[in-house]
Amino acid sequence: MSRADLVVVANRLPVDRVEGPDGEPTWRRSPGGLVTALEQVMQNLDGAWVGWGGKADLEVEPFEFDGNLLVPVTLTPDDLRDYYEGFSNGTIWPLYHDVIAAPEFKRSWWDSYVTVNRRFAEAAADVVAEGGFVWVQDYQLQLVPQMMRELRPDVTIGYFHHIPFPAYALFAQLPWRTQVLQGLLGADVIGFQRVADAGNFQRSIRRLLKYPTKGDTVQVPEGDGASRLSIAKHYPISIDANHFIELARRPDIIARAQAIRDQIGSQKLMLGVDRLDYTKGIRHRLKSYGELLADGKIKGHEATLVQIASPSRPGVEAYQDLRDEIEKTVARINGDYSTVENTAIRYLHQGYPREEMVALYLAADVMLVTALRDGMNLVAKEYVAVRGDNTGVLVLSEFAGAADELGSALLVNPHDIEAMKETMMRAVAMPAPEQARRMKTMRRKVIDNDVEKWGRTFLDDLRELRDRRRETR
Ligand code: G6P
């Protein structure tokens, strides 16, 4: 097998397995944010991607796809239950999102997490070239950096954490907290979304491991009084802004946006686009909107809320409960406030291709991103990128990472229902000059800090560390 200079390790491969016209399984690039983000970074390098193929018990040999080597890791149904639905999405996800849902601490889940992390690390160790780079992605694989370092001390290791890193008082609840910190510290560069995430991580390191930190660096002891430096800092992820701008100029997509508008009528269109996840604040959004209808502040024919909630993690109980609750709320609001001509909330429990998303963004007067906690939220950046005529209003939660860069949005605390209602009303009524002023500032940010820059900045820091280490050896 050929060896790769850069190996990305992520829970999922950047492709989905689909049936071709003749019933034969083939692979198609998947539409997710992480894939989009790394697509560009990988393009100019001799790269490989280690990840799960998306179905239980799938055993597939490594294969070429779009110039990169894809290395599938097999997960059994038990692995999916304990490592993926269990420890990753039943323990870490709720704990790191400020316990919006209660995390469960199960020893059998942890054991599976260790076993599966080792499987990913071994697959990456087999494929990375001598002196190459391994870049580990996200919370499902926090132990891989340290395992990689043990298996392949010659490689330089990066880790990027796409979700929040919690405050010390929350992180300290994790029974395996020191193992997780040690796992992450195996990386030379540990990237976070926000300054606050990197700060929380460093605080946990100081309190639990007593390692010294200074600025963006952590001094990691290596025995015999020796130590090495790891970088732990923020690298806010972004989107391929130009790609979205190009899509927004395509005549067929503009026509589709117009068709959506015509369908909705002359009213204001408010849009929410989320994975169906309890972190996204969909309930708070529906509650606020429902109250505005109940108060008569918004009349049914004046505005419509389109809520896309793409199916997510259906095997996890908290997600099943959330779906039931949201669907009940939507049905109630529609029952009370829809008319024969007009539907108060158009709720779609489906995923859509990027083209349809861009048409929806173009059609929407107001974009609602009201997450209770979110690592970044790329939907906010996508909406801003496509609004080439500087119209449209972004309502953005203070608790989404994107709020650090998009301070010109209408920022809101989604827990404060009165504030949500006022902000929605302000968004609907915002005069065009104010829309333009805010949108222009945000578009500059998104265009100047695109995903290509994100990847380049992270990899430059990795390269610099490798070079520095080579000099001191
Ligand atoms: C978030 C996480 C990703 C994850 C994605 C979809 O964005 O940060 O790591 O891949 O959600 O979730 P799923 O569990 O379907 O992979």
Side-chain angles (χ1 to χ4, degrees), residues 11-12 84 89 93 138-140 162-163 275 312-313:
N11 179 53
R12 286 181 189 275
Y84 171 71
N89 292 311
W93 181 270
D138 227 356
Y139 66 103
Q140 303 92 344
H162 294 253
I163 69 172
R275 268 186 316 101
S312 187
R313 306 175 192 161

Side-chain angles (χ1 to χ4, degrees), residues 190-201:
I190 306 156
F192 297 93
Q193 302 281 26
R194 304 179 93 158
V195 177
D197 298 315
N200 287 343
F201 174 72

